[in-house]
Amino acid sequence: MIGSAVLYALGGVALFGMGLYALLAYPNLLRKILGMNVMGTGAFTILIAAAYRGSDAAPDPVPHALVITGIVVSVCATGLALSLAVRIQAVTGAAYLTPDEEDAP
Amino acid sequence: MPKIADQDEVRLTAGRALLLGMSLVLTLTLAAAVLSLPEDQPRLAQVALERLPESGVGNAVTAVLLNFRGYDTLLEVAVLLLAIIGIWSVARTARVWIKRPDTPILRAFVRFVVPLMPIMAGYLLWIGADETGGAFQGGAVLGGMGILWIAAAVWLPQRGGRALLRPLLAIGLLAFLIAATWMLLARGNFFEYPPEQAKDIILIIEGAAMLSIGATLALLFVGGAPQKEESS
């Protein structure tokens, strides 16, 4: 990869890691959904950068096509996740993953 | 039940420190993997670019999306439909309640801008065959148009509108399936278009997919099954 592509790919890796931590560490469902989106954005950035490999000038169209597909799927998954979070709040009164009774302090 | 303030706590506890460490290890491993990607390996790009003339379109990304890897896009359009079915199943009422705006400016702006958006979407779809553009970009413009409509209360999805919305949501998947099955019967292979008609077939599928993508994005914004309009 050329210099700027390496930078974008590493930036994507960092986004992926930060999103993963937010997804795992926080019980708030909105934070989890945001974390999932940041992770997805990181994966797309890595894929876009990975298309600029090799000596020929044209970027690889296959990862680029995967990314455009992935963005739309990610938007839809986010919409469905938000609907589920709203429903969880309507049923339990809180948009959180509450700890099980035996785990509660 | 713990107080909400506790749940919003972002302090670094022992458990979170462990998660942070594990996330860091995974991130560094991924970074090492990215840096060790082989540079001059034979790539799919060579095959894709060599056979571009057979795809019927000049834009390599469109060729991959609609021709070489049509399966991916077919399943993606199915995911769009599934997301809306899922949302309509869990959310009986819309998440956004729009009050009719008391300023005429928003509505006038929307009435001025909205007619330009289908033209732009159509242009993006057409140019997508050879340049940057395509069904997803056009669909995003149409989705934006729907959201503007809904936000300005020019048009609100109502229960009665489902008869129109359902075919609109499904037409992309239907067009894809019909084209793929037709090719299976006529040529013996799923998604194998004859090169001389490939551009027409791709544009028809893309047009249908664009309508479905636009309708899906706008209804994702509503976030619930269309209901009867409130009397207020």
Side-chain angles (χ1 to χ4, degrees), chain B residues 52-228:
Chain B
L52 193 57
E54 292 173 45
S55 72
V57 289
N59 178 357
V61 176
T62 303
V64 170
L65 274 176
L66 270 302
N67 200 331
F68 302 149
R69 295 191 62 106
Y71 278 110
D72 289 359
T73 315
L74 169 73
L75 291 176
E76 183 219 349
V77 175
V79 166
L80 294 184
L81 190 58
L82 278 176
I84 285 290
I85 293 173
I87 288 171
W88 284 11
S89 308
V90 293
R92 290 265 152 230
T93 50
R95 226 174 335 107
V96 285
W97 284 270
I98 292 110
K99 292 169 69 178
R100 294 200 177 278
D102 44 13
T103 160
I105 295 173
L106 179 62
R107 289 178 72 114
F109 171 75
V110 167
R111 292 217 157 104
F112 176 71
V113 165
V114 157
L116 301 175
M117 295 177 88
I119 298 175
M120 189 178 172
Y123 172 75
L124 280 172
L125 178 74
W126 178 255
I127 201 75
D130 293 302
E131 302 287 335
T132 308
F136 297 98
Q137 291 86 339
V141 172
L142 287 186
M145 179 180 92
I147 291 171
L148 261 183
W149 251 345
I150 296 166
V154 173
W155 171 81
L156 294 172
Q158 292 164 27
R159 181 174 280 276
R162 287 195 209 181
L164 174 70
L165 288 174
R166 284 196 173 124
L168 207 54
L169 290 168
I171 192 173
L173 186 60
L174 277 178
F176 241 117
L177 281 177
I178 288 170
T181 314
W182 176 31
M183 290 305 129
L184 179 67
L185 296 176
R187 293 174 62 88
N189 274 315
F190 214 52
F191 276 120
E192 190 191 292
Y193 313 135
E196 57 275 12
Q197 286 141 33
K199 183 173 181 179
D200 301 335
I201 297 170
I202 286 175
L203 277 175
I204 291 168
I205 296 175
E206 277 203 301
M210 183 176 79
L211 293 177
S212 287
I213 291 166
T216 306
L217 292 177
L219 288 168
L220 283 175
F221 175 75
V222 176
Q227 298 295 316
K228 280 191 191 122

Side-chain angles (χ1 to χ4, degrees), chain A:
Chain A
M1 273 186 276
I2 47 173
S4 58
V6 173
L7 195 63
Y8 291 140
L10 290 180
V13 169
L15 281 175
F16 188 89
M18 290 192 286
L20 179 69
Y21 173 70
L23 177 69
L24 294 175
Y26 300 121
N28 186 324
L29 290 174
L30 193 55
R31 279 185 198 275
K32 284 187 187 294
I33 293 168
L34 284 172
M36 192 181 76
N37 269 277
V38 172
M39 272 178 86
T41 308
F44 299 148
T45 312
I46 297 168
L47 272 174
I48 290 173
Y52 290 88
R53 278 192 296 143
S55 44
D56 43 346
D60 191 337
V62 179
H64 282 190
L66 287 179
V67 168
I68 202 165
T69 310
I71 288 172
V72 178
V73 170
S74 147
V75 169
C76 286
T78 306
L80 183 57
L82 285 170
S83 278
L84 287 171
V86 168
R87 185 89 182 129
I88 287 172
Q89 184 165 33
V91 171
T92 67
Y96 301 99
L97 290 187
T98 45
D100 294 334
E101 289 304 315
E102 58 266 34
D103 295 347

